[in-house]
Amino acid sequence: MSCIEHRSDEKHLQKIDLINQEEEKYLHDKDYNTFLIYEGNIPCEDCGGIEQRLVVKGDTTGIFRLTETYKNATEDGDATIVCSGQWKKIRQKNGDWLILSQGTLKDSARRMEYEFHLGELVQRSLDGEYFKNLGLYHLKLVRKSGSLE
């Protein structure tokens, strides 16, 4: 029985390693000189929470890669989804906002809005639905343009 559990852990670790390798390749793509990486945990109705890792490349517009790990989402444990698309920064009266569009900015399968704060993002909405308890939707800046925060 322990061999089966060991194999399961090994497969999970291999999957995480592959995701990390893909992210490093994504970071070093020459199309954009700057990037920011944010991480955090947000609530989930159907699982034990969602670990998010958001890579934003570019200055005021660009591309993004969002890795979401749904904790204990299946019988086998966690489920990881990676999506990508375009983003843009817009100025509002109350500060700067980050708009993520899975796909393109004009044609999106999923749209997310974040408010910029010092060293973090606060997710405000998902597909037009605004969150009531914003204290649960924070992503901290962990790395930018090759340096650790």
Side-chain angles (χ1 to χ4, degrees), residues 120-132:
E120 69 180 1
L121 295 175
V122 177
Q123 188 172 0
R124 300 299 304 255
S125 73
L126 174 63
D127 294 329
E129 297 293 321
Y130 287 88
F131 299 118
K132 291 184 173 121

Side-chain angles (χ1 to χ4, degrees), residues 89-98 114-116:
K89 186 178 188 178
I90 60 172
R91 187 162 300 271
Q92 301 281 5
K93 285 187 261 182
N94 58 346
D96 292 335
W97 283 53
L98 175 73
Y114 295 83
E115 191 175 336
F116 280 100

Side-chain angles (χ1 to χ4, degrees), residues 4-139:
I4 293 170
E5 290 176 12
H6 177 70
R7 285 185 193 142
S8 175
D9 288 345
E10 189 175 301
K11 280 184 180 179
H12 180 71
L13 292 175
Q14 287 173 346
K15 186 175 181 180
I16 290 171
D17 190 44
L18 180 61
I19 290 170
N20 291 340
Q21 288 173 10
E22 289 171 357
E23 182 178 281
E24 283 302 315
K25 182 179 175 186
Y26 182 80
L27 286 176
H28 298 294
D29 179 21
K30 303 293 184 224
D31 291 340
Y32 295 90
N33 293 327
T34 62
F35 66 82
L36 300 169
I37 301 176
Y38 295 90
E39 291 181 344
N41 295 304
I42 64 169
C44 177
E45 291 181 17
D46 301 330
C47 68
I50 305 169
E51 290 179 1
Q52 289 188 326
R53 183 171 174 88
L54 173 63
V55 179
V56 179
K57 293 181 72 174
D59 293 320
T60 57
T61 62
I63 57 175
F64 76 89
R65 183 175 194 268
L66 176 63
T67 304
E68 296 177 296
T69 301
Y70 292 75
K71 305 307 283 178
N72 300 314
T74 69
E75 290 178 2
D76 296 329
D78 300 345
T80 299
I81 298 172
V82 178
C83 70
S84 60
Q86 296 179 335
W87 71 273
K88 69 178 177 178
K89 186 178 188 178
I90 60 172
R91 187 162 300 271
Q92 301 281 5
K93 285 187 261 182
N94 58 346
D96 292 335
W97 283 53
L98 175 73
I99 309 298
L100 301 180
S101 293
Q102 184 176 338
T104 67
L105 290 169
K106 293 181 181 179
D107 184 23
S108 178
R110 181 179 179 195
R111 178 183 163 102
M112 295 160 274
E113 297 178 354
Y114 295 83
E115 191 175 336
F116 280 100
H117 289 269
L118 186 62
E120 69 180 1
L121 295 175
V122 177
Q123 188 172 0
R124 300 299 304 255
S125 73
L126 174 63
D127 294 329
E129 297 293 321
Y130 287 88
F131 299 118
K132 291 184 173 121
N133 188 352
L134 296 178
L136 300 175
Y137 294 88
H138 287 247
L139 300 179

